[in-house]
Amino acid sequence: MRKNKAMIFWFCLPALLCLLIMFVYPVLRTVLMSFFKVESVTAGLSDWEFYGIGNYSKIFGSESFLTSMRNVMLIWIVGGVITLALSLLMAVIITSGIRGKNFFRAAIYMPNIISAVALATMWIQYIFNYDFGLLNEVVKLFGGDKVKWLGTDMKFWAMTAAFIFGSVGYYMLIYISGIEAIPQDFYEAATLDGANKFQQFTRMTLPLMKGVLKTSITFWSINTTTFFLWTKMFSPIDTEGSTIVPVVYLYDIVFGGKGVTTRDAGAGAAVGVVLTLIIVVVYAVTNRLFKNSDLEY
């Protein structure tokens, strides 16, 4: 018995060490760094100067950080409602027994297979382009004037629309797995009782998918707070107020960016801690709202 325990320990040790070194240690170091004045991420502990909540006061006093928080909140709320609603609609349609459902499922999920860089480039060059973009061709077809989709006023919503397009398929598959886990006997019994499709969806499908909805909201929150690549693709030269998000603000103050004269790893760590706390709060709230979500047979 002791030999078996020792063998289990030695087999688990490499994974445990990797977990401690690659995940636990960076998290603890980041939280600790957020309370110190640190210029470089690689600075030794001897170069750290205790700063208390100074880093948090600094970022919340920064107009750029507040703008980035407003942007990410808009993406989370507006983009989340549209993405999750469209994903659920697609999942319901595909699982309703339509012909060619495998084709439609693959076609809708296709943007998730394509590189995000390639997908963003496609939207920038072929959809939003002012001279020959698809959207402006449609506008011209109806007699309208060309629109600067990538102008300062429209760039944020153009970026959000492209991000939504690339996200729908991922959440659709999550919803499909949840819907297919519901026994068909439930729907047959509901049909015999006289419930129509809409009543079945609102009174049976949605209540039985609380766990899936909770998972989707949590994943969407994580994807939103780590929103980085799309901003860099839509503002490749300098960080702009119309596209800045907290992760980009973090990158600029830690590694240097537009208007940043002194690098501040401590403030960057504070941004990371704030984003983590936001995700924890969202998870706790959704976990509270979607209680008793397990499907009982």
Side-chain angles (χ1 to χ4, degrees), residues 70-86 156-157 160-161 163-165 168 220 224:
R70 285 194 293 269
N71 288 343
V72 83
M73 284 300 295
L74 280 174
I75 295 172
W76 184 71
I77 297 172
V78 179
V81 170
I82 296 173
T83 300
L84 299 183
L86 282 177
F156 172 80
W157 296 111
T160 304
F163 179 58
I164 291 171
F165 175 83
V168 169
W220 176 255
T224 303

mmCIF file with all atom_site columns, all heavy atoms in Angstrom, residues 70-86 156-157 160-161 163-165 168 220 224:
data_model
loop_
_atom_site.group_PDB
_atom_site.id
_atom_site.type_symbol
_atom_site.label_atom_id
_atom_site.label_alt_id
_atom_site.label_comp_id
_atom_site.label_asym_id
_atom_site.label_entity_id
_atom_site.label_seq_id
_atom_site.pdbx_PDB_ins_code
_atom_site.Cartn_x
_atom_site.Cartn_y
_atom_site.Cartn_z
_atom_site.occupancy
_atom_site.B_iso_or_equiv
_atom_site.pdbx_formal_charge
_atom_site.auth_seq_id
_atom_site.auth_comp_id
_atom_site.auth_asym_id
_atom_site.auth_atom_id
_atom_site.pdbx_PDB_model_num
ATOM 1   N N   . ARG A 1 70  ? -14.895 51.335 -19.742 1.00 0.00 ? 70  ARG A N   1
ATOM 2   C CA  . ARG A 1 70  ? -16.191 51.596 -20.386 1.00 0.00 ? 70  ARG A CA  1
ATOM 3   C C   . ARG A 1 70  ? -16.319 50.790 -21.679 1.00 0.00 ? 70  ARG A C   1
ATOM 4   O O   . ARG A 1 70  ? -17.386 50.222 -21.964 1.00 0.00 ? 70  ARG A O   1
ATOM 5   C CB  . ARG A 1 70  ? -16.341 53.098 -20.678 1.00 0.00 ? 70  ARG A CB  1
ATOM 6   C CG  . ARG A 1 70  ? -16.642 53.940 -19.454 1.00 0.00 ? 70  ARG A CG  1
ATOM 7   C CD  . ARG A 1 70  ? -17.111 55.341 -19.861 1.00 0.00 ? 70  ARG A CD  1
ATOM 8   N NE  . ARG A 1 70  ? -16.050 56.095 -20.494 1.00 0.00 ? 70  ARG A NE  1
ATOM 9   C CZ  . ARG A 1 70  ? -15.213 56.887 -19.845 1.00 0.00 ? 70  ARG A CZ  1
ATOM 10  N NH1 . ARG A 1 70  ? -15.322 57.033 -18.520 1.00 0.00 ? 70  ARG A NH1 1
ATOM 11  N NH2 . ARG A 1 70  ? -14.286 57.568 -20.491 1.00 0.00 ? 70  ARG A NH2 1
ATOM 12  N N   . ASN A 1 71  ? -15.235 50.740 -22.439 1.00 0.00 ? 71  ASN A N   1
ATOM 13  C CA  . ASN A 1 71  ? -15.260 49.975 -23.689 1.00 0.00 ? 71  ASN A CA  1
ATOM 14  C C   . ASN A 1 71  ? -15.506 48.498 -23.443 1.00 0.00 ? 71  ASN A C   1
ATOM 15  O O   . ASN A 1 71  ? -16.319 47.865 -24.130 1.00 0.00 ? 71  ASN A O   1
ATOM 16  C CB  . ASN A 1 71  ? -13.949 50.161 -24.455 1.00 0.00 ? 71  ASN A CB  1
ATOM 17  C CG  . ASN A 1 71  ? -13.810 51.532 -25.073 1.00 0.00 ? 71  ASN A CG  1
ATOM 18  O OD1 . ASN A 1 71  ? -14.790 52.267 -25.223 1.00 0.00 ? 71  ASN A OD1 1
ATOM 19  N ND2 . ASN A 1 71  ? -12.604 51.903 -25.444 1.00 0.00 ? 71  ASN A ND2 1
ATOM 20  N N   . VAL A 1 72  ? -14.798 47.945 -22.466 1.00 0.00 ? 72  VAL A N   1
ATOM 21  C CA  . VAL A 1 72  ? -14.935 46.501 -22.225 1.00 0.00 ? 72  VAL A CA  1
ATOM 22  C C   . VAL A 1 72  ? -16.307 46.178 -21.630 1.00 0.00 ? 72  VAL A C   1
ATOM 23  O O   . VAL A 1 72  ? -16.863 45.095 -21.879 1.00 0.00 ? 72  VAL A O   1
ATOM 24  C CB  . VAL A 1 72  ? -13.789 45.996 -21.316 1.00 0.00 ? 72  VAL A CB  1
ATOM 25  C CG1 . VAL A 1 72  ? -14.074 46.234 -19.842 1.00 0.00 ? 72  VAL A CG1 1
ATOM 26  C CG2 . VAL A 1 72  ? -13.535 44.511 -21.556 1.00 0.00 ? 72  VAL A CG2 1
ATOM 27  N N   . MET A 1 73  ? -16.885 47.107 -20.870 1.00 0.00 ? 73  MET A N   1
ATOM 28  C CA  . MET A 1 73  ? -18.229 46.889 -20.345 1.00 0.00 ? 73  MET A CA  1
ATOM 29  C C   . MET A 1 73  ? -19.257 46.889 -21.474 1.00 0.00 ? 73  MET A C   1
ATOM 30  O O   . MET A 1 73  ? -20.201 46.087 -21.462 1.00 0.00 ? 73  MET A O   1
ATOM 31  C CB  . MET A 1 73  ? -18.571 47.964 -19.314 1.00 0.00 ? 73  MET A CB  1
ATOM 32  C CG  . MET A 1 73  ? -17.897 47.766 -17.965 1.00 0.00 ? 73  MET A CG  1
ATOM 33  S SD  . MET A 1 73  ? -18.334 46.192 -17.177 1.00 0.00 ? 73  MET A SD  1
ATOM 34  C CE  . MET A 1 73  ? -20.073 46.435 -16.881 1.00 0.00 ? 73  MET A CE  1
ATOM 35  N N   . LEU A 1 74  ? -19.073 47.777 -22.443 1.00 0.00 ? 74  LEU A N   1
ATOM 36  C CA  . LEU A 1 74  ? -19.978 47.793 -23.598 1.00 0.00 ? 74  LEU A CA  1
ATOM 37  C C   . LEU A 1 74  ? -19.864 46.500 -24.389 1.00 0.00 ? 74  LEU A C   1
ATOM 38  O O   . LEU A 1 74  ? -20.870 45.934 -24.838 1.00 0.00 ? 74  LEU A O   1
ATOM 39  C CB  . LEU A 1 74  ? -19.663 48.991 -24.496 1.00 0.00 ? 74  LEU A CB  1
ATOM 40  C CG  . LEU A 1 74  ? -20.222 50.348 -24.061 1.00 0.00 ? 74  LEU A CG  1
ATOM 41  C CD1 . LEU A 1 74  ? -19.706 51.454 -24.972 1.00 0.00 ? 74  LEU A CD1 1
ATOM 42  C CD2 . LEU A 1 74  ? -21.749 50.324 -24.082 1.00 0.00 ? 74  LEU A CD2 1
ATOM 43  N N   . ILE A 1 75  ? -18.635 46.030 -24.582 1.00 0.00 ? 75  ILE A N   1
ATOM 44  C CA  . ILE A 1 75  ? -18.428 44.773 -25.307 1.00 0.00 ? 75  ILE A CA  1
ATOM 45  C C   . ILE A 1 75  ? -19.074 43.627 -24.536 1.00 0.00 ? 75  ILE A C   1
ATOM 46  O O   . ILE A 1 75  ? -19.732 42.755 -25.124 1.00 0.00 ? 75  ILE A O   1
ATOM 47  C CB  . ILE A 1 75  ? -16.923 44.504 -25.512 1.00 0.00 ? 75  ILE A CB  1
ATOM 48  C CG1 . ILE A 1 75  ? -16.309 45.560 -26.425 1.00 0.00 ? 75  ILE A CG1 1
ATOM 49  C CG2 . ILE A 1 75  ? -16.698 43.107 -26.115 1.00 0.00 ? 75  ILE A CG2 1
ATOM 50  C CD1 . ILE A 1 75  ? -14.801 45.492 -26.518 1.00 0.00 ? 75  ILE A CD1 1
ATOM 51  N N   . TRP A 1 76  ? -18.903 43.637 -23.216 1.00 0.00 ? 76  TRP A N   1
ATOM 52  C CA  . TRP A 1 76  ? -19.438 42.547 -22.393 1.00 0.00 ? 76  TRP A CA  1
ATOM 53  C C   . TRP A 1 76  ? -20.959 42.541 -22.402 1.00 0.00 ? 76  TRP A C   1
ATOM 54  O O   . TRP A 1 76  ? -21.581 41.483 -22.548 1.00 0.00 ? 76  TRP A O   1
ATOM 55  C CB  . TRP A 1 76  ? -18.930 42.684 -20.956 1.00 0.00 ? 76  TRP A CB  1
ATOM 56  C CG  . TRP A 1 76  ? -19.357 41.556 -20.057 1.00 0.00 ? 76  TRP A CG  1
ATOM 57  C CD1 . TRP A 1 76  ? -18.902 40.265 -20.088 1.00 0.00 ? 76  TRP A CD1 1
ATOM 58  C CD2 . TRP A 1 76  ? -20.330 41.626 -19.010 1.00 0.00 ? 76  TRP A CD2 1
ATOM 59  N NE1 . TRP A 1 76  ? -19.535 39.520 -19.104 1.00 0.00 ? 76  TRP A NE1 1
ATOM 60  C CE2 . TRP A 1 76  ? -20.414 40.332 -18.443 1.00 0.00 ? 76  TRP A CE2 1
ATOM 61  C CE3 . TRP A 1 76  ? -21.130 42.648 -18.502 1.00 0.00 ? 76  TRP A CE3 1
ATOM 62  C CZ2 . TRP A 1 76  ? -21.270 40.037 -17.384 1.00 0.00 ? 76  TRP A CZ2 1
ATOM 63  C CZ3 . TRP A 1 76  ? -21.989 42.363 -17.446 1.00 0.00 ? 76  TRP A CZ3 1
ATOM 64  C CH2 . TRP A 1 76  ? -22.048 41.064 -16.898 1.00 0.00 ? 76  TRP A CH2 1
ATOM 65  N N   . ILE A 1 77  ? -21.576 43.719 -22.257 1.00 0.00 ? 77  ILE A N   1
ATOM 66  C CA  . ILE A 1 77  ? -23.037 43.784 -22.171 1.00 0.00 ? 77  ILE A CA  1
ATOM 67  C C   . ILE A 1 77  ? -23.687 43.672 -23.545 1.00 0.00 ? 77  ILE A C   1
ATOM 68  O O   . ILE A 1 77  ? -24.468 42.754 -23.814 1.00 0.00 ? 77  ILE A O   1
ATOM 69  C CB  . ILE A 1 77  ? -23.482 45.086 -21.468 1.00 0.00 ? 77  ILE A CB  1
ATOM 70  C CG1 . ILE A 1 77  ? -22.981 45.113 -20.021 1.00 0.00 ? 77  ILE A CG1 1
ATOM 71  C CG2 . ILE A 1 77  ? -25.007 45.216 -21.497 1.00 0.00 ? 77  ILE A CG2 1
ATOM 72  C CD1 . ILE A 1 77  ? -23.213 46.431 -19.311 1.00 0.00 ? 77  ILE A CD1 1
ATOM 73  N N   . VAL A 1 78  ? -23.367 44.632 -24.435 1.00 0.00 ? 78  VAL A N   1
ATOM 74  C CA  . VAL A 1 78  ? -24.002 44.652 -25.760 1.00 0.00 ? 78  VAL A CA  1
ATOM 75  C C   . VAL A 1 78  ? -23.575 43.436 -26.581 1.00 0.00 ? 78  VAL A C   1
ATOM 76  O O   . VAL A 1 78  ? -24.406 42.714 -27.140 1.00 0.00 ? 78  VAL A O   1
ATOM 77  C CB  . VAL A 1 78  ? -23.666 45.957 -26.512 1.00 0.00 ? 78  VAL A CB  1
ATOM 78  C CG1 . VAL A 1 78  ? -24.302 45.952 -27.892 1.00 0.00 ? 78  VAL A CG1 1
ATOM 79  C CG2 . VAL A 1 78  ? -24.126 47.177 -25.712 1.00 0.00 ? 78  VAL A CG2 1
ATOM 80  N N   . GLY A 1 79  ? -22.268 43.223 -26.646 1.00 0.00 ? 79  GLY A N   1
ATOM 81  C CA  . GLY A 1 79  ? -21.770 42.074 -27.398 1.00 0.00 ? 79  GLY A CA  1
ATOM 82  C C   . GLY A 1 79  ? -22.228 40.762 -26.809 1.00 0.00 ? 79  GLY A C   1
ATOM 83  O O   . GLY A 1 79  ? -22.547 39.819 -27.540 1.00 0.00 ? 79  GLY A O   1
ATOM 84  N N   . GLY A 1 80  ? -22.298 40.690 -25.470 1.00 0.00 ? 80  GLY A N   1
ATOM 85  C CA  . GLY A 1 80  ? -22.718 39.457 -24.823 1.00 0.00 ? 80  GLY A CA  1
ATOM 86  C C   . GLY A 1 80  ? -24.169 39.124 -25.114 1.00 0.00 ? 80  GLY A C   1
ATOM 87  O O   . GLY A 1 80  ? -24.496 37.973 -25.412 1.00 0.00 ? 80  GLY A O   1
ATOM 88  N N   . VAL A 1 81  ? -25.042 40.124 -25.019 1.00 0.00 ? 81  VAL A N   1
ATOM 89  C CA  . VAL A 1 81  ? -26.463 39.890 -25.300 1.00 0.00 ? 81  VAL A CA  1
ATOM 90  C C   . VAL A 1 81  ? -26.651 39.407 -26.737 1.00 0.00 ? 81  VAL A C   1
ATOM 91  O O   . VAL A 1 81  ? -27.371 38.432 -26.997 1.00 0.00 ? 81  VAL A O   1
ATOM 92  C CB  . VAL A 1 81  ? -27.289 41.174 -25.046 1.00 0.00 ? 81  VAL A CB  1
ATOM 93  C CG1 . VAL A 1 81  ? -28.708 41.008 -25.572 1.00 0.00 ? 81  VAL A CG1 1
ATOM 94  C CG2 . VAL A 1 81  ? -27.298 41.513 -23.565 1.00 0.00 ? 81  VAL A CG2 1
ATOM 95  N N   . ILE A 1 82  ? -25.999 40.094 -27.684 1.00 0.00 ? 82  ILE A N   1
ATOM 96  C CA  . ILE A 1 82  ? -26.161 39.733 -29.094 1.00 0.00 ? 82  ILE A CA  1
ATOM 97  C C   . ILE A 1 82  ? -25.555 38.358 -29.376 1.00 0.00 ? 82  ILE A C   1
ATOM 98  O O   . ILE A 1 82  ? -26.188 37.500 -30.016 1.00 0.00 ? 82  ILE A O   1
ATOM 99  C CB  . ILE A 1 82  ? -25.513 40.792 -30.004 1.00 0.00 ? 82  ILE A CB  1
ATOM 100 C CG1 . ILE A 1 82  ? -26.240 42.133 -29.850 1.00 0.00 ? 82  ILE A CG1 1
ATOM 101 C CG2 . ILE A 1 82  ? -25.536 40.347 -31.461 1.00 0.00 ? 82  ILE A CG2 1
ATOM 102 C CD1 . ILE A 1 82  ? -25.569 43.274 -30.594 1.00 0.00 ? 82  ILE A CD1 1
ATOM 103 N N   . THR A 1 83  ? -24.347 38.126 -28.888 1.00 0.00 ? 83  THR A N   1
ATOM 104 C CA  . THR A 1 83  ? -23.652 36.856 -29.163 1.00 0.00 ? 83  THR A CA  1
ATOM 105 C C   . THR A 1 83  ? -24.387 35.669 -28.561 1.00 0.00 ? 83  THR A C   1
ATOM 106 O O   . THR A 1 83  ? -24.646 34.667 -29.245 1.00 0.00 ? 83  THR A O   1
ATOM 107 C CB  . THR A 1 83  ? -22.217 36.903 -28.606 1.00 0.00 ? 83  THR A CB  1
ATOM 108 O OG1 . THR A 1 83  ? -21.499 37.974 -29.213 1.00 0.00 ? 83  THR A OG1 1
ATOM 109 C CG2 . THR A 1 83  ? -21.490 35.592 -28.895 1.00 0.00 ? 83  THR A CG2 1
ATOM 110 N N   . LEU A 1 84  ? -24.729 35.753 -27.287 1.00 0.00 ? 84  LEU A N   1
ATOM 111 C CA  . LEU A 1 84  ? -25.376 34.626 -26.623 1.00 0.00 ? 84  LEU A CA  1
ATOM 112 C C   . LEU A 1 84  ? -26.789 34.392 -27.147 1.00 0.00 ? 84  LEU A C   1
ATOM 113 O O   . LEU A 1 84  ? -27.233 33.244 -27.250 1.00 0.00 ? 84  LEU A O   1
ATOM 114 C CB  . LEU A 1 84  ? -25.386 34.857 -25.114 1.00 0.00 ? 84  LEU A CB  1
ATOM 115 C CG  . LEU A 1 84  ? -24.003 34.982 -24.451 1.00 0.00 ? 84  LEU A CG  1
ATOM 116 C CD1 . LEU A 1 84  ? -24.136 35.136 -22.948 1.00 0.00 ? 84  LEU A CD1 1
ATOM 117 C CD2 . LEU A 1 84  ? -23.116 33.790 -24.792 1.00 0.00 ? 84  LEU A CD2 1
ATOM 118 N N   . ALA A 1 85  ? -27.489 35.483 -27.508 1.00 0.00 ? 85  ALA A N   1
ATOM 119 C CA  . ALA A 1 85  ? -28.834 35.323 -28.069 1.00 0.00 ? 85  ALA A CA  1
ATOM 120 C C   . ALA A 1 85  ? -28.776 34.678 -29.452 1.00 0.00 ? 85  ALA A C   1
ATOM 121 O O   . ALA A 1 85  ? -29.548 33.751 -29.754 1.00 0.00 ? 85  ALA A O   1
ATOM 122 C CB  . ALA A 1 85  ? -29.528 36.680 -28.145 1.00 0.00 ? 85  ALA A CB  1
ATOM 123 N N   . LEU A 1 86  ? -27.869 35.160 -30.302 1.00 0.00 ? 86  LEU A N   1
ATOM 124 C CA  . LEU A 1 86  ? -27.719 34.565 -31.639 1.00 0.00 ? 86  LEU A CA  1
ATOM 125 C C   . LEU A 1 86  ? -27.265 33.114 -31.543 1.00 0.00 ? 86  LEU A C   1
ATOM 126 O O   . LEU A 1 86  ? -27.748 32.252 -32.292 1.00 0.00 ? 86  LEU A O   1
ATOM 127 C CB  . LEU A 1 86  ? -26.719 35.373 -32.466 1.00 0.00 ? 86  LEU A CB  1
ATOM 128 C CG  . LEU A 1 86  ? -27.205 36.684 -33.069 1.00 0.00 ? 86  LEU A CG  1
ATOM 129 C CD1 . LEU A 1 86  ? -26.060 37.386 -33.798 1.00 0.00 ? 86  LEU A CD1 1
ATOM 130 C CD2 . LEU A 1 86  ? -28.359 36.440 -34.039 1.00 0.00 ? 86  LEU A CD2 1
ATOM 131 N N   . PHE A 1 156 ? -15.187 51.447 -32.940 1.00 0.00 ? 156 PHE A N   1
ATOM 132 C CA  . PHE A 1 156 ? -15.476 50.570 -31.803 1.00 0.00 ? 156 PHE A CA  1
ATOM 133 C C   . PHE A 1 156 ? -16.569 49.562 -32.147 1.00 0.00 ? 156 PHE A C   1
ATOM 134 O O   . PHE A 1 156 ? -16.440 48.364 -31.879 1.00 0.00 ? 156 PHE A O   1
ATOM 135 C CB  . PHE A 1 156 ? -15.899 51.395 -30.585 1.00 0.00 ? 156 PHE A CB  1
ATOM 136 C CG  . PHE A 1 156 ? -16.393 50.559 -29.437 1.00 0.00 ? 156 PHE A CG  1
ATOM 137 C CD1 . PHE A 1 156 ? -15.497 49.929 -28.587 1.00 0.00 ? 156 PHE A CD1 1
ATOM 138 C CD2 . PHE A 1 156 ? -17.759 50.386 -29.208 1.00 0.00 ? 156 PHE A CD2 1
ATOM 139 C CE1 . PHE A 1 156 ? -15.959 49.145 -27.532 1.00 0.00 ? 156 PHE A CE1 1
ATOM 140 C CE2 . PHE A 1 156 ? -18.225 49.612 -28.160 1.00 0.00 ? 156 PHE A CE2 1
ATOM 141 C CZ  . PHE A 1 156 ? -17.317 48.995 -27.315 1.00 0.00 ? 156 PHE A CZ  1
ATOM 142 N N   . TRP A 1 157 ? -17.666 50.036 -32.760 1.00 0.00 ? 157 TRP A N   1
ATOM 143 C CA  . TRP A 1 157 ? -18.769 49.149 -33.087 1.00 0.00 ? 157 TRP A CA  1
ATOM 144 C C   . TRP A 1 157 ? -18.411 48.210 -34.231 1.00 0.00 ? 157 TRP A C   1
ATOM 145 O O   . TRP A 1 157 ? -18.885 47.067 -34.271 1.00 0.00 ? 157 TRP A O   1
ATOM 146 C CB  . TRP A 1 157 ? -20.016 49.959 -33.416 1.00 0.00 ? 157 TRP A CB  1
ATOM 147 C CG  . TRP A 1 157 ? -20.504 50.741 -32.244 1.00 0.00 ? 157 TRP A CG  1
ATOM 148 C CD1 . TRP A 1 157 ? -20.492 52.086 -32.088 1.00 0.00 ? 157 TRP A CD1 1
ATOM 149 C CD2 . TRP A 1 157 ? -21.035 50.201 -31.022 1.00 0.00 ? 157 TRP A CD2 1
ATOM 150 N NE1 . TRP A 1 157 ? -20.995 52.439 -30.859 1.00 0.00 ? 157 TRP A NE1 1
ATOM 151 C CE2 . TRP A 1 157 ? -21.349 51.299 -30.181 1.00 0.00 ? 157 TRP A CE2 1
ATOM 152 C CE3 . TRP A 1 157 ? -21.295 48.917 -30.565 1.00 0.00 ? 157 TRP A CE3 1
ATOM 153 C CZ2 . TRP A 1 157 ? -21.886 51.140 -28.912 1.00 0.00 ? 157 TRP A CZ2 1
ATOM 154 C CZ3 . TRP A 1 157 ? -21.833 48.754 -29.293 1.00 0.00 ? 157 TRP A CZ3 1
ATOM 155 C CH2 . TRP A 1 157 ? -22.124 49.848 -28.480 1.00 0.00 ? 157 TRP A CH2 1
ATOM 156 N N   . THR A 1 160 ? -16.427 45.518 -32.545 1.00 0.00 ? 160 THR A N   1
ATOM 157 C CA  . THR A 1 160 ? -17.321 44.670 -31.760 1.00 0.00 ? 160 THR A CA  1
ATOM 158 C C   . THR A 1 160 ? -18.123 43.733 -32.653 1.00 0.00 ? 160 THR A C   1
ATOM 159 O O   . THR A 1 160 ? -18.306 42.551 -32.330 1.00 0.00 ? 160 THR A O   1
ATOM 160 C CB  . THR A 1 160 ? -18.270 45.534 -30.913 1.00 0.00 ? 160 THR A CB  1
ATOM 161 O OG1 . THR A 1 160 ? -17.508 46.425 -30.094 1.00 0.00 ? 160 THR A OG1 1
ATOM 162 C CG2 . THR A 1 160 ? -19.152 44.668 -30.029 1.00 0.00 ? 160 THR A CG2 1
ATOM 163 N N   . ALA A 1 161 ? -18.602 44.245 -33.775 1.00 0.00 ? 161 ALA A N   1
ATOM 164 C CA  . ALA A 1 161 ? -19.374 43.412 -34.712 1.00 0.00 ? 161 ALA A CA  1
ATOM 165 C C   . ALA A 1 161 ? -18.524 42.268 -35.246 1.00 0.00 ? 161 ALA A C   1
ATOM 166 O O   . ALA A 1 161 ? -18.985 41.127 -35.347 1.00 0.00 ? 161 ALA A O   1
ATOM 167 C CB  . ALA A 1 161 ? -19.895 44.272 -35.861 1.00 0.00 ? 161 ALA A CB  1
ATOM 168 N N   . PHE A 1 163 ? -15.933 40.920 -33.781 1.00 0.00 ? 163 PHE A N   1
ATOM 169 C CA  . PHE A 1 163 ? -15.680 40.008 -32.663 1.00 0.00 ? 163 PHE A CA  1
ATOM 170 C C   . PHE A 1 163 ? -16.887 39.105 -32.415 1.00 0.00 ? 163 PHE A C   1
ATOM 171 O O   . PHE A 1 163 ? -16.744 37.904 -32.153 1.00 0.00 ? 163 PHE A O   1
ATOM 172 C CB  . PHE A 1 163 ? -15.347 40.824 -31.414 1.00 0.00 ? 163 PHE A CB  1
ATOM 173 C CG  . PHE A 1 163 ? -15.090 39.997 -30.184 1.00 0.00 ? 163 PHE A CG  1
ATOM 174 C CD1 . PHE A 1 163 ? -14.088 39.042 -30.170 1.00 0.00 ? 163 PHE A CD1 1
ATOM 175 C CD2 . PHE A 1 163 ? -15.850 40.170 -29.040 1.00 0.00 ? 163 PHE A CD2 1
ATOM 176 C CE1 . PHE A 1 163 ? -13.839 38.273 -29.036 1.00 0.00 ? 163 PHE A CE1 1
ATOM 177 C CE2 . PHE A 1 163 ? -15.619 39.421 -27.906 1.00 0.00 ? 163 PHE A CE2 1
ATOM 178 C CZ  . PHE A 1 163 ? -14.611 38.465 -27.904 1.00 0.00 ? 163 PHE A CZ  1
ATOM 179 N N   . ILE A 1 164 ? -18.086 39.680 -32.496 1.00 0.00 ? 164 ILE A N   1
ATOM 180 C CA  . ILE A 1 164 ? -19.314 38.900 -32.320 1.00 0.00 ? 164 ILE A CA  1
ATOM 181 C C   . ILE A 1 164 ? -19.411 37.819 -33.395 1.00 0.00 ? 164 ILE A C   1
ATOM 182 O O   . ILE A 1 164 ? -19.735 36.661 -33.107 1.00 0.00 ? 164 ILE A O   1
ATOM 183 C CB  . ILE A 1 164 ? -20.549 39.822 -32.361 1.00 0.00 ? 164 ILE A CB  1
ATOM 184 C CG1 . ILE A 1 164 ? -20.594 40.712 -31.122 1.00 0.00 ? 164 ILE A CG1 1
ATOM 185 C CG2 . ILE A 1 164 ? -21.838 39.005 -32.481 1.00 0.00 ? 164 ILE A CG2 1
ATOM 186 C CD1 . ILE A 1 164 ? -21.658 41.784 -31.184 1.00 0.00 ? 164 ILE A CD1 1
ATOM 187 N N   . PHE A 1 165 ? -19.119 38.193 -34.646 1.00 0.00 ? 165 PHE A N   1
ATOM 188 C CA  . PHE A 1 165 ? -19.176 37.241 -35.757 1.00 0.00 ? 165 PHE A CA  1
ATOM 189 C C   . PHE A 1 165 ? -18.263 36.039 -35.497 1.00 0.00 ? 165 PHE A C   1
ATOM 190 O O   . PHE A 1 165 ? -18.619 34.895 -35.794 1.00 0.00 ? 165 PHE A O   1
ATOM 191 C CB  . PHE A 1 165 ? -18.764 37.941 -37.052 1.00 0.00 ? 165 PHE A CB  1
ATOM 192 C CG  . PHE A 1 165 ? -18.678 37.030 -38.243 1.00 0.00 ? 165 PHE A CG  1
ATOM 193 C CD1 . PHE A 1 165 ? -19.815 36.694 -38.962 1.00 0.00 ? 165 PHE A CD1 1
ATOM 194 C CD2 . PHE A 1 165 ? -17.459 36.504 -38.646 1.00 0.00 ? 165 PHE A CD2 1
ATOM 195 C CE1 . PHE A 1 165 ? -19.739 35.854 -40.064 1.00 0.00 ? 165 PHE A CE1 1
ATOM 196 C CE2 . PHE A 1 165 ? -17.366 35.659 -39.747 1.00 0.00 ? 165 PHE A CE2 1
ATOM 197 C CZ  . PHE A 1 165 ? -18.514 35.333 -40.451 1.00 0.00 ? 165 PHE A CZ  1
ATOM 198 N N   . VAL A 1 168 ? -19.905 33.639 -32.264 1.00 0.00 ? 168 VAL A N   1
ATOM 199 C CA  . VAL A 1 168 ? -21.217 32.990 -32.241 1.00 0.00 ? 168 VAL A CA  1
ATOM 200 C C   . VAL A 1 168 ? -21.107 31.471 -32.339 1.00 0.00 ? 168 VAL A C   1
ATOM 201 O O   . VAL A 1 168 ? -21.770 30.736 -31.585 1.00 0.00 ? 168 VAL A O   1
ATOM 202 C CB  . VAL A 1 168 ? -22.114 33.536 -33.374 1.00 0.00 ? 168 VAL A CB  1
ATOM 203 C CG1 . VAL A 1 168 ? -23.366 32.683 -33.532 1.00 0.00 ? 168 VAL A CG1 1
ATOM 204 C CG2 . VAL A 1 168 ? -22.508 34.978 -33.087 1.00 0.00 ? 168 VAL A CG2 1
ATOM 205 N N   . TRP A 1 220 ? -17.775 33.957 -21.654 1.00 0.00 ? 220 TRP A N   1
ATOM 206 C CA  . TRP A 1 220 ? -17.853 35.239 -22.343 1.00 0.00 ? 220 TRP A CA  1
ATOM 207 C C   . TRP A 1 220 ? -17.140 36.334 -21.537 1.00 0.00 ? 220 TRP A C   1
ATOM 208 O O   . TRP A 1 220 ? -16.453 37.186 -22.103 1.00 0.00 ? 220 TRP A O   1
ATOM 209 C CB  . TRP A 1 220 ? -19.300 35.620 -22.595 1.00 0.00 ? 220 TRP A CB  1
ATOM 210 C CG  . TRP A 1 220 ? -19.454 36.982 -23.209 1.00 0.00 ? 220 TRP A CG  1
ATOM 211 C CD1 . TRP A 1 220 ? -19.869 38.124 -22.587 1.00 0.00 ? 220 TRP A CD1 1
ATOM 212 C CD2 . TRP A 1 220 ? -19.172 37.347 -24.569 1.00 0.00 ? 220 TRP A CD2 1
ATOM 213 N NE1 . TRP A 1 220 ? -19.868 39.171 -23.465 1.00 0.00 ? 220 TRP A NE1 1
ATOM 214 C CE2 . TRP A 1 220 ? -19.436 38.738 -24.684 1.00 0.00 ? 220 TRP A CE2 1
ATOM 215 C CE3 . TRP A 1 220 ? -18.721 36.643 -25.683 1.00 0.00 ? 220 TRP A CE3 1
ATOM 216 C CZ2 . TRP A 1 220 ? -19.268 39.412 -25.885 1.00 0.00 ? 220 TRP A CZ2 1
ATOM 217 C CZ3 . TRP A 1 220 ? -18.557 37.332 -26.880 1.00 0.00 ? 220 TRP A CZ3 1
ATOM 218 C CH2 . TRP A 1 220 ? -18.819 38.699 -26.971 1.00 0.00 ? 220 TRP A CH2 1
ATOM 219 N N   . THR A 1 224 ? -13.950 38.396 -22.863 1.00 0.00 ? 224 THR A N   1
ATOM 220 C CA  . THR A 1 224 ? -14.062 39.846 -22.971 1.00 0.00 ? 224 THR A CA  1
ATOM 221 C C   . THR A 1 224 ? -12.928 40.550 -22.235 1.00 0.00 ? 224 THR A C   1
ATOM 222 O O   . THR A 1 224 ? -12.327 41.492 -22.753 1.00 0.00 ? 224 THR A O   1
ATOM 223 C CB  . THR A 1 224 ? -15.413 40.330 -22.421 1.00 0.00 ? 224 THR A CB  1
ATOM 224 O OG1 . THR A 1 224 ? -16.475 39.677 -23.121 1.00 0.00 ? 224 THR A OG1 1
ATOM 225 C CG2 . THR A 1 224 ? -15.566 41.835 -22.596 1.00 0.00 ? 224 THR A CG2 1
#
